[in-house]
Amino acid sequence: MTAAPSPSLYRRPLPAQLVAFASPAGRALFDAARAAGGMESFFPLIEQFHTQADPAFCGLGTLVVALNALGVDPGRLWKGPWRWFSEELLDCCTPLERVRAQGISLDEFACLARCNGASAEVFRPDASELAGFRATIRAATGSAVDPALVVSYDRGALGQTGTGHFSPIGGYEPASDHVLVLDVARFKYPPHWIPLPALYAAMQPHDTVTGRPRGWVTLRRSPRPASLLFTARCVGEGGYEAFAAALERLRAAIAGAPRHDLKAMLIAVLGVLPRLPLALERRPLALAEHAQASEALLSALRGTQVFARVEALGPAWPAEAAALLLLALPVELWSLLGEAARGEWLEALDPARLPEVVRDEAEHLRRQLADLGALGRGEACERCG
């Protein structure tokens, strides 16, 4: 006997305390907010407003809106000759298949933003009071998407169906203290106005995955370019926890090597790299100038002492990827080496001796590894980027 199919759905009515954007009351709030200067971010965001492409893609859909509104160039092809963010381009930190199955957390959202060319600061109601949230709302909606403001909240706390959800903030009406949420699940609810204290309260229920409250993220175009060579993703069954555990195995490999034998330490570390639950993949680039810069970066990387030492040992990983990962690992890992070996290795890692393009690329990967490690340890990484 086969199960009856689930009933099909077409939108839901908004709870009474929420005001539909296109309703007469919603239009009146829009007019009042615009007169008060609280709709400046609305117009850049509405130009890029996008319905999430999958029921679990509210975080990805929201990030697509924000990145395109901020004018972040992905440097990669979307379709045909066009470069534009869509969900399938958000391919770092975690596999899209995993996001489709379980969505993303607030810190995963920030990780994805950072590795795609934005800076991201994460705030939670357990560390930021209502007045601080209101001040952030005023600042974001009173400027043309600088920053873009994203909220993550529990729908159930607002009387909606569902649990965790992401959407951008599009406006603020100060007299009534209402916030415009540009809901990316347009198949479910239209954009709507929410009393600001109610939205703040809806961030406080803990996410069952992280055990922490949800919150809000401010996004800006990063002054640092996105990676030109590699992007990292956690892969395998264990997720971020397995990655954090693998970093500890790396530390153990260094501790277990002869303290005064740098070559033995490198052999031990390079033996661990293939077992990391990490995909370090070459980033496809659409622009000729980016491809040229990438080749110049590879050439500079191959000229470093670190690359020469790694290549001589014949690693299982491509020598360029292995060398860049070693450059990106936390310097404190090498404290376990004996003084002479540590000095020799740290000299090879010395930023002052590295070409600037190699330093920048290693720093980009280092920030992403910090995000992934923090996710695996269940820690916040509010300002990793």
Side-chain angles (χ1 to χ4, degrees), residues 141-160:
T141 58
S143 64
V145 200
D146 185 26
L149 180 60
V150 166
V151 290
S152 174
Y153 56 96
D154 189 315
R155 281 197 186 276
L158 294 169
Q160 299 176 332

Side-chain angles (χ1 to χ4, degrees), residues 2-44:
T2 59
S6 299
S8 65
L9 299 171
Y10 182 75
R11 309 188 78 169
R12 292 192 184 280
L14 280 169
Q17 70 166 332
L18 310 183
V19 182
F21 175 68
S23 69
R27 296 181 188 201
L29 284 169
F30 178 92
D31 291 340
R34 189 174 182 196
M39 296 301 297
E40 294 303 306
S41 63
F42 172 80
F43 297 97

Side-chain angles (χ1 to χ4, degrees), residues 16-250:
Q17 70 166 332
L18 310 183
V19 182
F21 175 68
S23 69
R27 296 181 188 201
L29 284 169
F30 178 92
D31 291 340
R34 189 174 182 196
M39 296 301 297
E40 294 303 306
S41 63
F42 172 80
F43 297 97
L45 288 167
I46 208 65
E47 282 186 340
Q48 311 306 334
F49 195 32
H50 165 83
T51 301
Q52 63 190 75
D54 188 273
F57 278 10
C58 59
L60 301 190
T62 296
L63 187 53
V64 164
V65 174
L67 292 173
N68 287 330
L70 287 166
V72 177
D73 185 343
R76 292 164 285 152
L77 291 178
W78 166 58
K79 295 180 182 178
W82 297 102
R83 305 190 308 275
W84 203 245
F85 275 107
S86 62
E87 282 98 335
E88 65 265 26
L89 262 66
L90 303 178
D91 56 353
C92 53
C93 296
T94 189
L96 289 176
E97 295 77 16
R98 186 177 295 158
V99 180
R100 185 172 280 110
Q102 60 193 41
I104 58 174
S105 70
L106 190 63
D107 288 307
E108 286 178 290
F109 178 92
C111 181
L112 283 164
R114 291 168 184 145
C115 67
N116 281 287
S119 63
E121 288 190 64
V122 177
F123 303 88
R124 288 182 168 84
D126 58 350
S128 301
E129 295 182 350
L130 176 62
F133 178 51
R134 184 177 286 110
T136 301
I137 290 278
R138 281 182 177 272
T141 58
S143 64
V145 200
D146 185 26
L149 180 60
V150 166
V151 290
S152 174
Y153 56 96
D154 189 315
R155 281 197 186 276
L158 294 169
Q160 299 176 332
T161 61
T163 51
H165 189 58
F166 287 87
S167 279
I169 291 296
Y172 175 61
E173 202 289 290
S176 65
D177 206 21
H178 273 68
V179 178
L180 177 61
V181 172
L182 297 175
D183 199 322
V184 292
R186 288 189 285 185
F187 51 84
K188 186 173 184 180
Y189 293 111
H192 48 274
W193 295 91
I194 301 176
L196 188 147
L199 180 58
Y200 179 79
M203 298 178 188
Q204 296 182 34
H206 285 202
D207 182 338
T208 57
V209 174
T210 66
R212 304 194 68 205
R214 294 176 171 86
W216 59 98
V217 184
T218 57
L219 300 173
R220 290 181 169 89
R221 245 190 332 185
S222 176
R224 298 176 181 271
S227 169
L228 284 172
L229 282 183
F230 300 105
T231 184
R233 277 202 318 271
C234 279
V235 295
E237 295 299 320
Y240 304 113
E241 293 80 6
F243 175 72
L247 289 181
E248 290 306 311
R249 288 200 298 275
L250 209 58

Side-chain angles (χ1 to χ4, degrees), residues 283-329:
R283 184 184 286 274
L285 299 170
L287 299 178
E289 56 264 37
H290 285 178
Q292 292 163 5
S294 176
E295 289 304 315
L297 171 55
L298 275 175
S299 177
L301 179 62
R302 290 167 182 151
T304 64
Q305 291 184 45
V306 173
F307 178 83
R309 289 179 180 276
V310 167
E311 187 182 40
L313 296 174
W317 271 21
E320 293 85 358
L324 186 63
L325 184 59
L326 291 179
L327 285 166
L329 289 173

